[in-house]
Amino acid sequence: MLLAIDCGNTNTVFSIWDGETFLCTLRTSTHHARTADAYFTWYSTLVAHYGIKAQITDVVISSTVPRVVWNLRVFADRFFNCRPLVVGKPECALPVPPRVDAGTAIGPDRLANVAGAFDRHGGDAVVVDFGTATNFDVVAEDGAYVGGVIAPGVNLSLEALHQGAAALPHVDITQPDKVIGTNTVGCIQSGVFWGYVGLIRGIIGQIKAEYGRPMKVIGTGGLAPLFASGEMLFDTIEDDLTMHGLTVIYDYNKDKA
């Protein structure tokens, strides 16, 4: 079985893929000092708790935090006796090479999103991924990543607002009942929620206008369902798009071996 690992700036996700479905998905906070042994203790405890009997034979990794990759490599080698495939490294081939400015470093999570989106929905698409940053990834007709947009993430913006304005509390993001807030929390929630609805709609509109042909819009990431509610921002929501993309990239490299 395949263990797919997506390490972001905030959280790291482990998913076990049996070739047809994800048996389970586990999530932990990202911490560069976490050792291979610590990963395995956490992982094995949860797998046993869920009653998953999985013999891992292969590991694929996407990480936007370079310092974490070494311990994940040791984790795969020590406990599963395999050399992991790391997206973004020269030895990891992509189904379709990206077409961007020479020397541009592309986040491996964005490459996985593009691979997953093309496999499920075809090309001429834009993926909106709600993470620490809010990424917009453009998928060309042939499945190539051809660029995108990076905006501050929702929670990052909330944290910055809380830290930069001493009198403002930290609030949870939710869709408020009305736009005009009648208390401080309501005002902040309205500003963040409707501000991001406008940001998403505006950026997608500009991408479509520049791209010049119809595009599917795919939402992913933890907050995608919140911003999809009643706003018709996305054609579809894919909660496992990045992990699915990792399996697509893994299969492509396995077939080439």
Side-chain angles (χ1 to χ4, degrees):
M1 292 188 187
L2 174 68
L3 177 61
I5 303 174
D6 176 40
C7 176
N9 290 293
T10 304
N11 292 316
T12 299
V13 181
F14 289 58
S15 290
I16 299 174
W17 174 253
D18 69 357
E20 295 182 357
T21 188
F22 289 109
L23 300 181
C24 70
T25 295
L26 314 173
R27 187 179 299 268
T28 186
S29 59
T30 298
H31 183 37
H32 72 270
R34 183 173 285 123
T35 65
D37 291 349
Y39 276 118
F40 185 72
T41 299
W42 166 82
Y43 167 85
S44 59
T45 300
L46 284 180
V47 167
H49 171 76
Y50 289 117
I52 304 296
K53 299 186 182 299
Q55 184 66 39
I56 301 299
T57 57
D58 297 279
V59 177
V60 59
I61 298 170
S62 161
S63 177
T64 59
V65 186
R67 296 175 68 186
V68 173
V69 175
W70 167 254
N71 283 321
L72 289 175
R73 283 184 181 273
V74 175
F75 166 76
D77 177 66
R78 180 177 298 167
F79 297 105
F80 304 120
N81 193 32
C82 70
R83 178 181 176 84
L85 178 69
V86 181
V87 179
K89 298 297 183 182
E91 64 271 17
C92 179
L94 298 172
V96 184
R99 294 193 293 274
V100 293
D101 294 343
T104 299
I106 305 168
D109 55 333
R110 307 182 80 175
L111 297 174
N113 282 343
V114 167
F118 184 72
D119 184 68
R120 284 181 170 171
H121 302 285
D124 293 335
V126 55
V127 178
V128 185
D129 187 358
F130 293 86
T132 305
T134 301
N135 293 331
F136 298 73
D137 303 319
V138 178
V139 189
E141 182 181 16
D142 63 349
Y145 170 82
V146 292
V149 175
I150 301 175
V154 179
N155 288 318
L156 190 64
S157 296
L158 276 171
E159 189 63 30
L161 184 64
H162 172 61
Q163 291 183 1
L168 297 181
H170 189 284
V171 303
D172 293 328
I173 180 63
T174 187
Q175 181 174 357
D177 295 330
K178 53 186 180 179
V179 176
I180 302 173
T182 53
N183 55 67
T184 302
V185 170
C187 289
I188 295 173
Q189 289 176 333
S190 185
V192 172
F193 179 83
W194 292 111
Y196 267 87
V197 167
L199 179 146
I200 296 161
R201 183 180 288 120
I203 290 178
I204 289 173
Q206 292 295 323
I207 288 173
K208 286 182 174 181
E210 187 172 298
Y211 193 75
R213 55 195 297 173
M215 302 179 79
K216 298 174 284 292
V217 182
I218 304 161
T220 191
L223 291 177
L226 171 64
F227 286 98
S229 57
E231 286 306 311
M232 300 301 291
L233 295 174
F234 312 117
D235 295 307
T236 187
I237 298 289
E238 300 277 5
D239 59 359
D240 63 347
L241 186 67
T242 307
M243 307 311 286
H244 177 68
L246 288 177
T247 70
V248 171
I249 293 173
Y250 165 79
D251 286 340
Y252 180 76
N253 282 268
K254 185 177 180 180
D255 291 341
K256 286 175 64 67

